[in-house]
C-alpha cells in the first residue's frame, strides 16, 4: 500500500476551523483554572460588634480574614472583581466553545478523556494504542484513512507510580473508574473474563493497562475499592510506554466536543509498535496490526512533522 493512500489532506477551511476550535478550547481550559481560584465568595459579617471579612469556600466552609480595614476592603474589592471577571470570561468562552463543537469532527474516545478530566485524574492516564493516531493526524493537519484507523478499543496506560494520589481522589469522590465511564455511557460493563476491559452496548471497549509491577507498585491492581471495577493488566511494553516522551494534543471528541489527549511521542510510538510486531511469541494476527501503525506514523512524521525528527525534539500541545 503506497503511503499516499494513508493520508487525506484537509481543506484550508477545515484547518482554520480546527485552529479556531483549539484556540477556544485551550482558552476555556485556562479560564476554568482561573475561575476555580475564586470559587466561593467573600462577605462582611458582624462579629463581636465589628464588621469582619469572611471568606467562604465552595463547600460552605468559612474563614475570618480580619476586621474591616483598608487592607481587608482592598482584599474584598480585588477578590470580587477577579471573581466577576473570571465568571464572565468563562461564560463567554463556553458559549464560543459550544459553537465550535457543533462544527467539529466526531471522535468517540474524546468523551472518555473528558470524563477523566472532569474528575481531575487525566494526568494518571495516557492513550497508547491505535487511538493515539488521532493525536498524530491532528498535529499533522491531515486525516488518516479509516481503514488504517479501524479499531474498536482504546488502550489507556495507567501510571502506577501515581497510584496513591489516584486512589485518594477516587475515594474522595466515592467513585469507581467504571462508574466514571458510565457517566459517559451507562451501558459500559466490565467484561467478566477480561477484567481490564469495559465494553458498551455498541461493542466499543476501554482497556486499562499498566507496566509490570516494580518498586512500590501495587499488584494486583484494582482501580478502586469497588469490587466491580477494572483490574489493570500488566503489558510487556508497559515500562517503555511509561518512559516514552509525552505528547499532549487537542483532539475532537464525540458530537464535536474537544479533549486533550495525552499520548507518547510519535517516533517512540512507531518504535515500540515495530518492536512489538517482531516480539517472540507475539500472535501473528496481532503482529501485522502492530507493524501497520508503526509504518503509518513513520511516514506521517517524515511527510508532515519533520521537526519531530530533530535531536531532542519534544511533542507538546500544538
Amino acid at each position: 500500500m503506497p503511503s499516499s493512500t494513508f493520508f487525506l489532506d484537509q481543506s484550508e477551511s477545515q484547518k482554520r476551523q480546527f485552529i479556531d476550535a483549539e484556540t477556544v478550547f485551550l482558552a476555556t481550559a485556562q479560564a476554568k483554572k482561573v475561575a476555580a481560584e475564586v470559587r466561593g465568595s467573600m462577605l462582611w459579617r458582624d462579629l463581636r460588634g465589628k464588621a469582619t471579612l469572611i471568606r467562604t469556600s465552595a463547600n460552605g466552609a468559612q474563614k475570618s480574614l480580619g476586621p474591616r480595614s483598608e487592607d481587608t476592603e482592598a482584599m474584598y474589592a480585588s477578590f470580587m472583581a477577579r471573581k466577576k471577571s473570571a465568571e464572565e470570561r468563562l461564560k463567554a468562552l463556553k458559549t464560543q466553545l459550544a459553537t465550535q463543537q457543533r462544527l467539529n469532527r466526531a471522535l468517540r474516545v474524546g468523551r472518555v478523556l473528558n470524563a477523566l478530566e472532569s474528575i481531575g485524574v487525566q494526568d494518571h492516564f495516557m492513550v497508547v494504542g491505535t487511538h493515539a493516531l488521532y493525536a498524530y493526524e491532528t498535529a499533522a493537519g491531515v486525516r488518516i484513512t479509516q481503514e488504517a484507523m479501524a479499531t474498536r478499543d482504546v488502550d489507556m496506560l495507567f501510571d502506577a507510580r501515581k497510584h496513591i494520589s489516584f486512589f485518594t481522589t477516587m475515594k474522595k469522590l466515592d467513585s469507581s473508574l467504571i462508574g466514571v465511564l458510565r457517566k459517559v455511557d451507562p451501558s459500559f460493563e466490565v467484561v467478566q473474563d477480561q477484567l481490564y476491559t469495559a465494553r458498551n452496548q455498541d461493542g466499543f471497549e476501554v482497556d486499562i493497562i499498566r507496566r509490570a509491577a516494580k518498586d512500590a507498585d501495587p499488584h494486583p491492581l484494582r482501580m478502586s475499592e469497588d469490587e466491580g471495577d477494572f483490574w489493570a493488566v500488566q503489558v510487556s511494553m508497559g515500562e517503555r510506554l511509561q518512559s516514552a516522551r509525552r505528547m499532549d494534543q487537542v483532539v475532537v471528541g464525540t458530537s464535536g466536543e474537544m479533549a486533550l489527549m495525552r499520548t507518547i511521542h510519535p517516533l517512540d510510538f512507531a518504535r515500540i509498535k515495530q518492536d512489538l510486531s517482531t516480539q517472540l511469541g507475539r500472535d501473528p494476527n496481532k503482529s501485522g496490526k502492530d507493524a501497520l501503525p508503526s509504518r503509518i506514523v513513520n511516514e506521517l512524521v517524515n511527510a508532515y512533522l519533520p521537526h519531530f525528527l530533530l535531536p531532542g525534539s519534544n511533542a507538546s500541545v500544538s
Side-chain angles (χ1 to χ4, degrees), residues 80-213:
M80 297 307 289
R82 285 171 56 215
K83 182 177 178 65
K84 181 180 179 182
S85 174
E87 290 177 344
E88 289 178 350
R89 177 170 172 76
L90 181 57
K91 181 179 179 180
L93 283 166
K94 282 184 174 180
T95 299
Q96 292 183 44
L97 188 61
T99 300
Q100 296 295 337
Q101 288 170 350
R102 288 194 292 270
L103 302 173
N104 282 329
R105 176 176 179 262
L107 176 61
R108 187 190 300 260
V109 72
R111 295 189 67 192
V112 174
L113 297 173
N114 281 335
L116 296 175
E117 191 276 335
S118 70
I119 64 170
V121 297
Q122 70 276 20
D123 289 346
H124 294 77
F125 295 90
M126 287 198 299
V127 176
V128 294
T130 302
H131 272 86
L133 271 65
Y134 285 113
Y136 307 148
E137 68 169 12
T138 302
V142 299
R143 287 289 174 255
I144 297 172
T145 59
Q146 283 302 308
E147 293 79 6
M149 297 281 281
T151 180
R152 297 291 293 171
D153 68 299
V154 55
D155 295 328
M156 305 291 296
L157 179 71
F158 175 67
D159 189 347
R161 299 169 300 181
K162 300 179 181 179
H163 67 275
I164 293 177
S165 61
F166 175 79
F167 293 145
T168 299
T169 298
M170 299 304 286
K171 193 165 186 178
K172 285 181 180 178
L173 295 171
D174 191 24
S175 180
S176 62
L177 187 56
I178 186 62
V180 173
L181 289 189
R182 285 175 180 153
K183 291 180 181 178
V184 172
D185 183 340
S187 71
F188 269 116
E189 297 285 348
V190 173
V191 179
Q192 289 308 302
D193 60 350
Q194 193 170 298
L195 296 177
Y196 59 88
T197 300
R199 181 184 300 131
N200 73 0
Q201 62 186 5
D202 299 321
F204 181 73
E205 297 180 345
V206 176
D207 293 340
I208 305 299
I209 64 176
R210 57 173 290 191
R211 70 179 185 181

Side-chain angles (χ1 to χ4, degrees), residues 204-248:
F204 181 73
E205 297 180 345
V206 176
D207 293 340
I208 305 299
I209 64 176
R210 57 173 290 191
R211 70 179 185 181
K214 59 183 293 187
D215 302 327
D217 291 354
H219 181 69
L221 176 56
R222 189 171 62 196
M223 302 305 293
S224 73
E225 295 181 354
D226 187 331
E227 292 183 358
D229 208 357
F230 288 93
W231 290 82
V233 65
Q234 299 177 101
V235 296
S236 61
M237 292 291 177
E239 182 63 34
R240 288 186 62 186
L241 291 166
Q242 194 73 75
S243 303
R245 290 169 291 177
R246 194 187 75 184
M247 175 179 182
D248 291 337

